[in-house]
Amino acid sequence: MEQSSLYQHTVKELTDKLIDLSFAEDIGDGDHTTLCCIPEDAMGKSRLIVKEDGILAGVEVAKEVFRRFDPTMQVEVLIKDGAKIKKGDIAMIVSGKVQSLLQTERLMLNIMQRMSGIATMTHRYQQALIDAGTKTRVLDTRKTTPGMRMLEKEAVKIGGGMNHRIGLFDMILLKDNHVDFAGGIHNAVSRAKQYCKDKNKNLKIEIEVRNFKELEEALAEKPDRIMFDNFTPEDTVKAVKMVNGQCETESSGGITFDTMIPYAKAGVDYISFGALTHSVKGLDLSFKAC
């Protein structure tokens, strides 16, 4: 199976498992509130109402939530993933059994609110870098909600950012602990290259450096990307000049929306932000009968 096909298969499989687990933990042996007061044959409609400006994300996942719970539910999408939305917009209308509408409401909202919050924050960061006249791209990290990584990383892409890597399997990132345990940058990178050769793996190799001495050592190993960890903007300017286009560059470590522009103007290709997924506020949406 090709890598892109493998990735899509993995996303689908993990999303299905997440949906099934989420229903299991929410509904248990039955939604007794709904079952006690709503007839089984009652039909109705609900609409997804936007209550806060932002970027919409999670529409396609929401459709899968409805489908997996009750294939007879009908979804009319009015606003697609990635669209700018404003308070008062109606994103979708869902028709079907009232019991199904009520039992899928919270899971759908939990997913869409979080994904839309991530997409909105990512868009804000990336647009600010563009407006500042830089070509630097926003990256996410592995600081994601356990079980929701695939959805959160998809939200980053919907918001205009890029995925750093999905997990430990699709890129080699040699961080400070790897370097220290391996006995230095040369050992870490050379072993990584040999591992890829022995295992027939076509993986990018990135190395994290903490100072200019490590940067010189890393450049000698010719990795695909070098990460400047906790460098100042001034040191980043010097580091980018030292790299001089020999490989991709990334800044990381405590960089925020308010401090990122000098790093981008230093010329790095990427800046990674854990906050995109670990500190995001969900976008306000509601699902109401209509």
Side-chain angles (χ1 to χ4, degrees):
M1 187 180 294
E2 294 183 1
Q3 189 169 9
S4 59
S5 299
L6 178 61
Y7 168 74
Q8 291 300 329
H9 175 76
T10 302
V11 171
K12 177 68 167 60
E13 182 180 25
L14 292 178
T15 301
D16 288 348
K17 287 181 179 179
L18 172 64
I19 292 172
D20 291 343
L21 175 61
S22 299
F23 278 132
E25 69 181 4
D26 195 34
I27 296 177
D29 70 344
D31 173 11
H32 303 303
T33 306
T34 294
L35 297 176
C36 77
C37 63
I38 303 297
E40 185 177 357
D41 59 354
M43 305 296 288
K45 291 183 180 181
S46 292
R47 56 183 181 168
L48 183 64
I49 304 170
V50 176
K51 302 177 71 175
E52 185 178 1
D53 294 357
I55 302 295
L56 189 67
V59 172
E60 293 303 311
V61 184
K63 288 165 62 178
E64 188 64 14
V65 168
F66 296 130
R67 188 195 69 79
R68 286 184 70 80
F69 187 81
D70 180 355
T72 68
M73 299 177 79
Q74 300 294 315
V75 182
E76 181 185 2
V77 175
L78 304 177
I79 303 176
K80 295 181 179 181
D81 281 330
K84 291 183 178 180
I85 49 177
K86 60 183 184 300
K87 184 177 180 179
D89 284 344
I90 306 300
M92 69 174 70
I93 298 174
V94 185
S95 307
K97 295 178 181 178
V98 175
Q99 287 188 355
S100 296
L101 292 171
L102 292 169
Q103 291 177 94
T104 54
E105 173 186 348
R106 177 46 51 199
L107 175 56
M108 178 275 294
L109 284 174
N110 285 348
I111 289 173
M112 289 203 65
Q113 287 178 314
R114 182 153 185 81
M115 289 186 68
S116 296
I118 291 170
T120 298
M121 180 183 281
T122 303
H123 179 268
R124 177 172 175 249
Y125 278 52
Q126 187 63 68
Q127 191 59 52
L129 292 179
I130 293 171
D131 291 344
T134 79
K135 296 181 180 180
T136 304
R137 297 298 306 273
V138 170
L139 291 179
D140 54 24
T141 70
R142 286 171 49 242
K143 298 174 183 177
T144 55
T145 308
M148 286 195 68
R149 177 174 297 177
M150 294 299 181
L151 304 188
E152 292 179 347
K153 289 207 171 253
E154 181 63 24
V156 167
K157 291 195 295 184
I158 290 172
M162 295 179 65
N163 296 152
H164 190 284
R165 53 178 176 165
I166 300 303
L168 298 173
F169 59 89
D170 59 335
M171 182 179 184
I172 291 177
L173 172 51
L174 301 165
K175 296 179 70 69
D176 52 358
N177 281 334
H178 298 95
V179 171
D180 291 342
F181 280 124
I185 284 178
H186 170 73
N187 288 348
V189 177
S190 60
R191 289 174 187 174
K193 290 181 176 180
Q194 187 62 47
Y195 177 88
C196 289
K197 181 179 179 180
D198 293 344
K199 301 293 184 180
N200 194 28
K201 295 284 187 181
N202 182 25
L203 299 173
K204 279 193 170 184
I205 298 174
E206 178 173 8
I207 181 77
E208 178 184 271
V209 299
R210 293 164 284 192
N211 51 56
F212 290 110
K213 180 178 182 296
E214 289 190 342
L215 175 55
E216 289 178 352
E217 294 173 0
L219 285 171
E221 302 302 325
K222 295 181 170 51
D224 296 293
R225 186 185 302 172
I226 295 177
M227 177 193 293
F228 311 133
D229 182 46
N230 287 306
F231 278 42
T232 65
E234 294 75 20
D235 283 346
T236 304
V237 172
K238 181 180 175 181
V240 169
K241 288 181 179 178
M242 287 177 62
V243 173
N244 193 29
Q246 297 176 64
C247 63
E248 296 177 335
T249 56
E250 175 186 341
S251 285
S252 180
I255 303 172
T256 68
F257 180 84
D258 293 328
T259 64
M260 67 181 182
I261 298 300
Y263 289 92
K265 288 189 173 181
V268 291
D269 297 305
Y270 306 101
I271 302 176
S272 51
F273 300 93
L276 295 180
T277 51
H278 72 56
S279 299
V280 71
K281 171 188 171 295
L283 199 73
D284 197 1
L285 306 169
S286 64
F287 197 51
K288 298 297 183 183
C290 59

